[in-house]
Amino acid sequence: MPDYRPGRRADIEGLRAVAVLTVLGFHAGVPLFGGGFVGVDVFFVISGFLITGLLLGDLASTGTFSLKEFYARRARRILPSAGVVLVVVAFLSWLLLPPLRAKDIAYDVLAGALNVANWRFVANQTDYLAAARDHSPVLHFWSLGVEEQFYLVWAPLLLGIAVLARKLGRPVVPLVAAVVALLSIGSLLLSMRWTASSEPLAYLGSPTRAWEFGLGALAAVAAPWLRLPVAARWVLGWLGAAAIGWSTVVFSSATAFPGAVALVPVLGTVAVILAPGKGFAGFLSTGPMRAMGQLSFAWYLWHWPVLVFAEAVFGQLAWPVKLALVLGAAAPAWLTARLVERPVRFSRTISALPVRGLAIGVTAVLLPVAAGLVTGSAAQRMMGGGVTELSATLPLAAADGPDLLTSPAPGLTPPVDRARADLPPVPGCELFPAELTGPECVFGDPAAEQVLLLGDSHASQWFPAVRQLAQRRGWAVRVRVKQGCPLPDLTVYNPTLGRAYTECDSWRRDTLAQVAGTKPKLVFLASLNQYTADEQLLKAAWARSLDRLAATGAPLVYLRDTPLPGKDIPACVSEDPAACGFPREQALRPDPLAGQPGLSTVDMNPVLCPGETCPAVRQGVLLYRDDSHLTNTAAALLGRRMEKTLERQGLLPPVWQQVFREDFDGPDGARPDERRWQHATGTCYPGCPAPRWGTDEIETMTDSIDNVRQNGKGQLAITPIRTGAGWTSGRLESRSTDFRAPAGGVLRVAASIKLPEVGQADGAGYWPAFWLLGDAVRRDGSGWPAAGEIDVVESLNGRESVFGTFHCGTATGGPCQEPVGLGSGEQACAGCQREFREYAVELDQGKGEIRWYLDGKQTFALGRDKVGEQVWRQATDHGFFLILNVAIGGRLAGDPNGSTASGRPMLVDSVTVSVS
């Protein structure tokens, strides 16, 4: 019976050197080593050959083998050296790297120690939003995870086949060969499928790599039976070497791998293994090659951490420097092999009993697990203690001006340890690269009018801002976004798939066709602006997509792309927020849609990047959740600014939040609600700072229901009454003095009023008014006109006209030309004495303007530039109280005469105060 045990083959030791050197060259970026990643495939085939040969030898000779002994050997061979490297990585991460990155690596160390690193990195590499983070120093442990998972399954599988062979009365080796062949074919087919749909999953997944071990196992089955002539072995060996070398030189990171193309290096390795003797095997058996092969495992473990930590400290390095570093990693590899690997592996004491080897393995797992936990906890403490929850409330955002917030946020929001989880709440709506269709992502009432949000993940980041403005108008938001898929009609390469992004082209084509048949209120467009540096190509691609979108007939709103930091911002901020800025020139490319006709642009970059260096944190807000996307918090805080921009462009009607309303629906003869209104009586405020109310009126104001009452018809009546030679009337004021425009927002005050039914023949001296006074006047009865007065509507002497006025500054002259004020002049108002009309004023602090309206039509506007910033602030940047009154006489109206009618009320149907 042939001996399947491979023994100690010098050429296979040398082949390990080939494998490790190709990997080192690839990771160092050495020219002609673009496909050096195939060195891992060489390792896998060698492992499959050696392990299967050992197990088949036991099965052929004894019919069984000890699983305990098998796993004890594996534990002694692999786990101690791997554990040492993981512990050192955990310590260096804490010592050299930003806390957040150190915390991430702590989880990587845990995964590496538990031999599931490949699945952790599958999750990261297939996650479009996580794939761009800095490399983990234990990323290469994915291959150890695959190998350990192979060992976990392979030995019990072979043992099970042996039991089945005995029951069937069949020889074990042919049955092993048949099962291995079937499993290898299935694994290869799965590898080809996953490589086409998700290359990281295929590359890192153990099911898609099992066939490589399988072909090595089949080589172990065939090797004892193969009797090739010396010349044939010579040719076969060099052909195998050529296949490995060709793959190393020709393949690159753009090669769809593993898939079918991995057959080239894998079969090449099999060919080399099956061609011992002279030729290429003779070269592999030389002393230097064997020495490097014996060091290969430890060298593989050490080279990548050395490289990653060096670039973390010194920045991007040139390939000669990286080559020197990975070659220099042979020093700690030699120490590890001499002091850890070989003493444990070849110790007679440890190998005497399998349980001792297993105990060594368990210890080698627990130590890096402990190191990972300690490192993670230490990194968390450096970031401020325990994991911080995202805040349910946001700081107050500025809707205009250079600042993001009205005042800086206390602390950092979102917390740095939660920034990566601060994602737009659109679960399942942001399609992964391999997906073509997804759920119907409609947020809000599906029957309501809708706005559309279209594009890639740079469109998805704007969801909270778009959702805010839609909610305030009762609209729904339909989201159609796909990761890494430009909305302009471009075919791009997708690194997650490892090939041309054909799914993007299909999705874009179908989405634009579907959208063309809808009738949305608005279409919001956004896309990463760095898919290509060819400006003309990008403009042409946008033009094709915009032509399709124009079919909706809806306004198109282009959300200009945000700055691209190009580095892991949360990790950087966890160490030093002040050092995390990045150059504006590099972060913002020229806009491809600047000045595009038929397109409204919303540009938040003046706030996100107000200078030559773009900040990572503004006013306590962490702006980015990775190297590219805004945090959900930042996008939400920009929502009101976006909304206001669109309001100014005339694309959105303003939305008002009502803060006060009075409908005067009490019974006939009832006084106004004393909780909300108060009377100003007499002829001046207490202390008479301004006798005759400061305007030479002749009436005496009272709180009598004869002068001020509700009439039972949902109206307030303010009635002037002649009393002998004098007059009485009413002056009703709101108790509240805090009606004010929000920072950067708008205050709107409106009333539905029917003016007194008098004409010029019987209305001499009538002066009805609805107006606002600054709160300082209420406090001390003085301060006019600096405290500000905004007259919403006034009318004189029964004329069919009305006017509005702004008072400010000094009592005589000044920017408001007192005591007359800056006014609209008389505006025709036919029928205002016979029917109710709506009179309104808007104080817009964002725009710096006061606007007057009659029945919704603007009649007059006044900007702060007319009075100057300081006077404007003094007169408007505070609370106001409301006044409704009918004066008699005064320097504007003149005195009444004998024909002036008595008892003609001003009727007020409603008063509302709103803010936006």
Side-chain angles (χ1 to χ4, degrees):
M1 179 177 289
D3 186 3
Y4 292 96
R5 293 183 179 88
R8 193 172 183 84
R9 283 180 53 177
D11 61 322
I12 290 183
E13 284 187 340
L15 188 57
R16 290 183 186 276
V18 171
V20 75
L21 289 174
T22 57
V23 172
L24 296 182
F26 171 67
H27 284 158
V30 177
L32 302 181
F33 277 78
F37 49 81
V38 300
V40 174
D41 304 80
V42 176
F43 277 128
F44 287 164
V45 175
I46 293 173
S47 294
F49 174 78
L50 294 176
I51 295 302
T52 305
L54 290 171
L55 296 177
L56 287 179
D58 289 343
L59 288 175
S61 60
T62 66
T64 188
F65 57 82
S66 169
L67 286 176
K68 185 183 295 185
E69 175 63 29
F70 172 78
Y71 288 123
R73 288 199 304 266
R74 293 302 92 209
R76 296 198 311 270
R77 170 73 176 87
I78 292 175
L79 297 181
S81 297
V84 168
V85 173
L86 289 172
V87 169
V88 172
V89 164
F91 173 74
L92 291 178
S93 299
W94 169 79
L95 185 67
L96 300 175
L97 300 181
L100 186 58
R101 191 175 175 199
K103 182 182 175 183
D104 289 339
I105 292 171
Y107 288 116
D108 297 342
V109 167
L110 293 175
L114 297 173
N115 295 305
V116 292
N118 61 316
W119 295 112
R120 171 163 172 80
F121 295 125
V122 162
N124 284 346
Q125 294 300 317
T126 56
D127 180 358
Y128 173 77
L129 302 178
R133 294 178 194 164
D134 290 327
H135 290 306
S136 168
V138 295
L139 177 60
H140 61 318
F141 269 68
W142 74 267
S143 63
L144 271 71
V146 169
E147 191 163 345
E148 290 299 302
Q149 290 155 33
F150 163 72
Y151 296 149
L152 187 65
V153 173
W154 202 244
L157 177 63
L158 293 189
L159 198 58
I161 294 173
V163 172
L164 179 62
R166 284 199 301 271
K167 287 185 178 182
L168 296 176
R170 300 289 182 86
V172 65
V173 173
L175 189 57
V176 166
V179 172
V180 170
L182 288 174
L183 292 176
S184 297
I185 292 171
S187 172
L188 176 58
L189 292 175
L190 181 64
S191 176
M192 293 166 64
R193 180 175 179 180
W194 283 5
T195 299
S197 61
S198 178
E199 187 174 334
L201 179 59
Y203 193 93
L204 302 170
S206 47
T208 50
R209 293 290 191 160
W211 68 273
E212 301 181 14
F213 295 94
L215 289 190
L218 292 174
V221 172
W225 301 92
L226 201 62
R227 297 290 185 266
L228 295 176
V230 173
R233 291 201 304 270
W234 191 94
V235 171
L236 185 64
W238 281 108
L239 283 176
I244 297 172
W246 183 85
S247 302
T248 300
V249 174
V250 175
F251 290 176
S252 70
S253 57
T255 304
F257 198 87
V261 298
L263 282 166
V264 178
V266 168
L267 291 177
T269 305
V270 170
V272 172
I273 289 173
L274 294 178
K278 301 198 182 287
F280 187 61
F283 166 71
L284 295 177
S285 301
T286 59
M289 294 300 292
R290 292 185 64 188
M292 286 188 289
Q294 291 167 3
L295 194 62
S296 62
F297 178 61
W299 202 355
Y300 178 79
L301 292 178
W302 277 109
H303 85 281
W304 183 246
V306 166
L307 192 57
V308 170
F309 283 118
E311 292 203 318
V313 173
F314 300 108
Q316 192 69 33
L317 302 173
W319 74 261
V321 178
K322 292 197 287 186
L323 178 60
L325 287 169
V326 297
L327 293 177
W334 181 81
L335 288 173
T336 303
R338 183 176 180 84
L339 300 179
V340 178
E341 180 184 331
R342 292 169 191 165
V344 172
R345 181 182 179 187
F346 299 114
S347 168
R348 293 183 179 179
T349 302
I350 295 174
S351 60
L353 293 174
V355 69
R356 294 174 182 170
L358 294 174
I360 289 292
V362 170
T363 302
V365 169
L366 292 179
L367 285 176
V369 165
L373 293 174
V374 170
T375 299
S377 298
Q380 187 63 55
R381 285 195 298 274
M382 286 190 284
M383 290 187 289
V387 175
T388 311
E389 292 300 320
L390 293 172
S391 176
T393 59
L394 295 177
L396 188 59
D400 212 335
D403 293 330
L404 177 63
L405 305 178
T406 57
S407 58
L412 188 66
T413 183
V416 69
D417 59 332
R418 297 287 291 159
R420 289 174 179 161
D422 196 20
L423 303 167
V426 288
C429 300
E430 193 173 303
L431 298 187
F432 293 121
E435 295 177 330
L436 288 175
T437 59
E440 275 296 308
C441 290
V442 177
F443 297 84
D445 183 0
E449 294 183 295
Q450 296 182 357
V451 298
L452 299 181
L453 178 60
L454 304 178
D456 58 8
S457 59
H458 276 229
S460 180
Q461 71 180 356
W462 288 116
F463 173 77
V466 174
R467 179 72 169 131
Q468 286 176 28
L469 66 87
Q471 279 182 314
R472 280 194 277 269
R473 290 161 177 81
W475 300 340
V477 179
R478 183 180 295 273
V479 176
R480 299 293 298 269
V481 293
K482 183 171 176 62
Q483 292 179 351
C485 182
L487 192 58
D489 188 11
L490 284 173
T491 297
V492 296
Y493 172 85
N494 184 274
T496 301
L497 298 175
R499 55 173 170 77
Y501 199 178
T502 55
E503 289 86 348
C504 172
D505 296 333
S506 299
W507 174 86
R508 184 195 307 112
R509 182 178 58 252
D510 294 343
T511 295
L512 293 180
Q514 293 168 14
V515 166
T518 63
K519 298 296 180 184
K521 298 291 292 183
L522 293 171
V523 179
F524 290 91
L525 318 171
S527 184
L528 177 69
N529 186 23
Q530 303 206 17
Y531 287 105
T532 175
D534 188 331
E535 187 175 346
Q536 295 306 312
L537 177 65
L538 186 57
K539 284 184 177 181
W542 266 115
R544 291 191 292 272
S545 294
L546 292 176
D547 286 345
R548 302 288 301 278
L549 290 169
T552 64
L556 304 181
V557 178
Y558 171 55
L559 306 176
R560 185 177 179 185
D561 196 23
T562 49
L564 199 69
K567 59 183 174 182
D568 187 346
I569 291 296
C572 180
V573 169
S574 70
E575 184 174 40
D576 182 7
C580 298
F582 46 94
R584 179 188 180 95
E585 184 177 1
Q586 297 176 16
L588 286 172
R589 286 188 179 178
D591 184 57
L593 296 182
Q596 180 75 22
L599 197 64
S600 297
T601 299
V602 174
D603 185 0
M604 296 291 106
N605 294 326
V607 177
L608 294 171
C609 188
E612 292 303 312
T613 298
C614 302
V617 176
R618 278 215 72 187
Q619 296 180 285
V621 177
L622 180 53
L623 298 178
Y624 304 93
R625 54 184 154 93
D626 50 27
D627 67 337
S628 174
H629 302 87
L630 296 178
T631 59
N632 195 61
T633 298
L637 289 169
L638 290 166
R640 183 64 190 103
R641 185 180 296 265
M642 175 191 293
E643 186 174 8
K644 190 161 186 179
T645 300
L646 294 174
E647 288 175 1
R648 288 176 180 166
Q649 294 176 0
L651 295 180
L652 288 179
V655 175
W656 301 102
Q657 176 187 354
Q658 194 174 98
V659 296
F660 178 88
R661 182 174 178 90
E662 179 65 79
D663 291 309
F664 302 111
D665 53 4
D668 186 21
R671 296 176 180 275
D673 187 343
E674 293 183 357
R675 295 168 299 181
R676 313 182 83 187
W677 299 97
Q678 66 184 35
H679 294 273
T681 59
T683 58
C684 59
Y685 283 114
C688 279
R692 301 177 70 181
W693 300 109
T695 55
D696 295 329
E697 305 165 23
I698 67 170
E699 84 290 338
T700 298
M701 298 296 186
T702 80
D703 59 0
S704 168
I705 59 172
D706 293 334
N707 295 118
V708 183
R709 68 183 178 87
Q710 298 183 75
N711 65 6
K713 300 177 183 179
Q715 299 160 2
L716 174 75
I718 299 180
T719 309
I721 300 174
R722 191 194 300 269
T723 57
W727 288 78
T728 61
S729 189
R731 180 184 176 113
L732 193 66
E733 300 180 353
S734 66
R735 288 194 179 274
S736 176
T737 62
D738 60 359
F739 300 127
R740 66 181 300 169
V746 185
L747 171 71
R748 177 181 173 85
V749 179
S752 177
I753 296 173
K754 185 172 82 168
L755 297 176
E757 289 190 36
V758 293
Q760 294 187 54
D762 59 356
Y766 266 76
W767 186 5
F770 173 43
W771 45 305
L772 292 73
L773 263 181
D775 56 359
V777 177
R778 171 73 60 80
R779 285 195 299 272
D780 56 20
S782 62
W784 188 93
E789 175 183 330
I790 304 174
D791 301 326
V792 184
V793 60
E794 298 178 89
S795 183
L796 296 174
N797 301 318
R799 295 199 292 268
E800 290 193 330
S801 63
V802 294
F803 58 93
T805 310
F806 177 51
H807 295 276
C808 69
T810 57
T812 303
C816 276
Q817 302 171 23
E818 299 300 347
V820 177
L822 299 177
S824 65
E826 291 193 58
Q827 307 279 329
C829 191
C832 290
Q833 287 83 10
R834 298 184 296 276
E835 56 191 23
F836 284 91
R837 311 292 285 272
E838 185 189 66
Y839 304 93
V841 70
E842 291 176 5
L843 171 56
D844 187 338
Q845 288 290 22
K847 195 172 183 180
E849 185 177 72
I850 304 174
R851 299 179 291 270
W852 282 260
Y853 298 86
L854 172 58
D855 291 334
K857 181 179 180 181
Q858 183 175 317
T859 58
F860 181 54
L862 180 71
R864 64 181 157 209
D865 57 314
K866 296 292 185 181
V867 299
E869 182 69 23
Q870 182 176 354
V871 171
W872 172 270
R873 288 296 175 194
Q874 188 179 21
T876 65
D877 195 11
H878 49 66
F880 287 89
F881 60 97
L882 314 181
I883 305 173
L884 291 159
N885 75 283
V886 179
I888 296 294
R891 56 176 169 262
L892 285 182
D895 291 333
N897 55 39
S899 300
T900 301
S902 174
R904 304 290 176 85
M906 177 175 76
L907 299 180
V908 185
D909 184 70
S910 64
V911 176
T912 58
V913 180
S914 306
V915 295
S916 173

